[in-house]
Amino acid sequence: MKNSRSYLRRSPSDKAIDAAVYAILIFVLAVSVYPLYLAVVLSFNEGVDAQLGGIYFWPRKFTLKNYEKFFTDFSWLKAMAVTLSRTVLGTTLTVLFTSFVAYGLSHRNLLGRRLYMKLFIFAMYFSGGVIPYYAVLRTLGLLDTFWVYIVPSLLNLFYVLVAISFFQGIPEELQEAARVDGAGELRIFFSVILPVAKPLLATIAIFISVQHWNSWYDSAFFVKNQDLMTLAYRMMAVLKKSDLNQVTQASAAAASAVRVTPMSVQLAAMVIATMPVVVVYPFFQKYIISGVTIGSVKG
């Protein structure tokens, strides 16, 4: 009680420090959020008008043409469908394979466990490079296919190590009780281990899904089929267009009274691509915090 009273009677210097800390935090928040806010504002503004500049807090010429162009442009829709498909399928399979391998390696009496762990740690720190990786993908017949997005990411070594630590923290009595009831290892894994590991699975799922959703590297180097390009690659391709090309297309758009430019459509695509992560993340936040914490301290 005495400590609480002394805390309430803070000195002016303490209050000044607190005020400075809050001011810095507010500034950092504003600097972090404003670029996204400006992208949303520009996505609702006429593209040709936005090129004139001077837009900071709200649209100068409000329009929905940018989003209309996005949802009527079949190439954008195909890219979004590919991204959504790879995110859902890739996240599901990666979580399953990663947790399955980690569960096996969490058993200390597993034959060859030390060798597997050394190989995993070595593979985490050393890579063969792009050319050997490309050769492996070509040998497996994955180049220029949808599966080049899925198969190479089925096993994430970092999350395997985190999951091993998590699984080793689960009481062995749960598994022994299931074995007494006649359950096999697969039944134990799916019926006992996975329900207990929800925080871990949610943690892995959210990070893997964000990686799939934002990935453009594999589309740029391992895919030539335009029907398999991802949304992130399409947005990057728009950004890489020359200024002269953008000005030419903007002038053509202005002449036809469409008032839409490639950049304005790209901003609309950016907002659409960002919204799922912004909406989904708060629902997984409590699982992410608990999953990372438990996985990092138990072992």
Side-chain angles (χ1 to χ4, degrees):
M1 189 67 178
K2 184 177 181 180
N3 292 335
S4 62
R5 289 179 179 177
S6 61
Y7 175 78
L8 293 176
R9 297 173 182 174
R10 292 178 299 169
S11 64
S13 60
D14 293 334
K15 295 180 180 179
I17 293 175
D18 290 343
V21 170
Y22 285 124
I24 294 174
L25 292 177
I26 293 173
F27 174 76
V28 172
L29 177 64
V31 172
S32 303
V33 173
Y34 180 73
L36 177 59
Y37 173 76
L38 183 60
V40 175
V41 170
L42 293 176
S43 70
F44 285 102
N45 196 88
E46 287 187 359
V48 176
D49 177 74
Q51 290 184 331
L52 301 177
I55 301 174
Y56 303 105
F57 298 105
W58 49 79
R60 185 164 52 213
K61 292 186 178 181
F62 182 84
T63 182
L64 295 176
K65 290 293 185 179
N66 299 320
Y67 291 91
E68 181 181 335
K69 176 65 176 177
F70 176 86
F71 286 109
T72 56
D73 190 335
F74 191 60
S75 60
W76 282 107
L77 294 180
K78 285 192 296 185
M80 189 171 185
V82 171
T83 301
L84 183 62
S85 300
R86 71 169 290 181
T87 300
V88 174
L89 183 61
T91 301
T92 303
L93 293 179
T94 299
V95 171
L96 178 62
F97 275 78
T98 298
S99 58
F100 198 76
V101 172
Y103 173 67
L105 291 175
S106 66
H107 293 77
R108 301 184 186 276
N109 58 349
L110 178 68
L111 183 64
R113 180 178 182 273
R114 290 186 177 181
L115 176 61
Y116 296 143
M117 295 296 294
K118 291 179 180 179
L119 290 176
F120 279 17
I121 295 175
F122 180 85
M124 284 181 60
Y125 287 100
F126 299 96
S127 172
V130 177
I131 296 178
Y133 182 61
Y134 182 91
V136 171
L137 295 179
R138 183 178 60 182
T139 303
L140 296 176
L142 297 176
L143 292 179
D144 209 25
T145 66
F146 175 77
W147 295 104
V148 75
Y149 300 139
I150 307 298
V151 175
S153 63
L154 285 179
L155 190 65
N156 189 294
L157 300 184
F158 173 76
Y159 294 121
V160 166
L161 298 181
V162 175
I164 289 174
S165 179
F166 186 96
F167 289 143
Q168 288 178 343
I170 298 177
E172 295 184 2
E173 289 77 7
L174 293 176
Q175 303 177 42
E176 294 298 333
R179 291 190 181 95
V180 171
D181 292 338
E185 291 298 331
L186 288 177
R187 180 67 180 273
I188 294 174
F189 176 72
F190 286 104
S191 301
V192 178
I193 301 299
L194 290 188
V196 176
K198 285 182 180 180
L200 172 70
L201 302 181
T203 302
I204 298 176
I206 190 65
F207 286 112
I208 294 297
S209 61
V210 170
Q211 292 176 11
H212 276 291
W213 188 263
N214 294 328
S215 178
W216 60 268
Y217 180 87
D218 37 17
S219 295
F221 291 96
F222 309 128
V223 175
K224 295 181 179 178
N225 188 349
Q226 293 298 317
D227 293 336
L228 294 177
M229 295 302 178
T230 61
L231 186 61
Y233 176 81
R234 287 274 299 168
M235 290 190 292
M236 186 203 66
V238 172
L239 289 175
K240 281 194 170 184
K241 287 184 178 180
S242 65
D243 294 337
L244 179 60
N245 188 32
Q246 290 188 18
V247 170
T248 301
Q249 294 187 18
S251 301
S256 61
V258 176
R259 316 298 291 177
V260 173
T261 64
M263 183 58 67
S264 63
V265 179
Q266 193 265 351
L267 288 170
M270 183 186 303
V271 173
I272 294 172
T274 305
M275 285 303 106
V277 178
V278 175
V279 172
V280 171
Y281 182 83
F283 295 98
F284 286 85
Q285 186 174 9
K286 63 178 181 179
Y287 294 109
I288 293 174
I289 295 174
S290 58
V292 171
T293 303
I294 296 174
S296 62
V297 298
K298 289 188 177 182

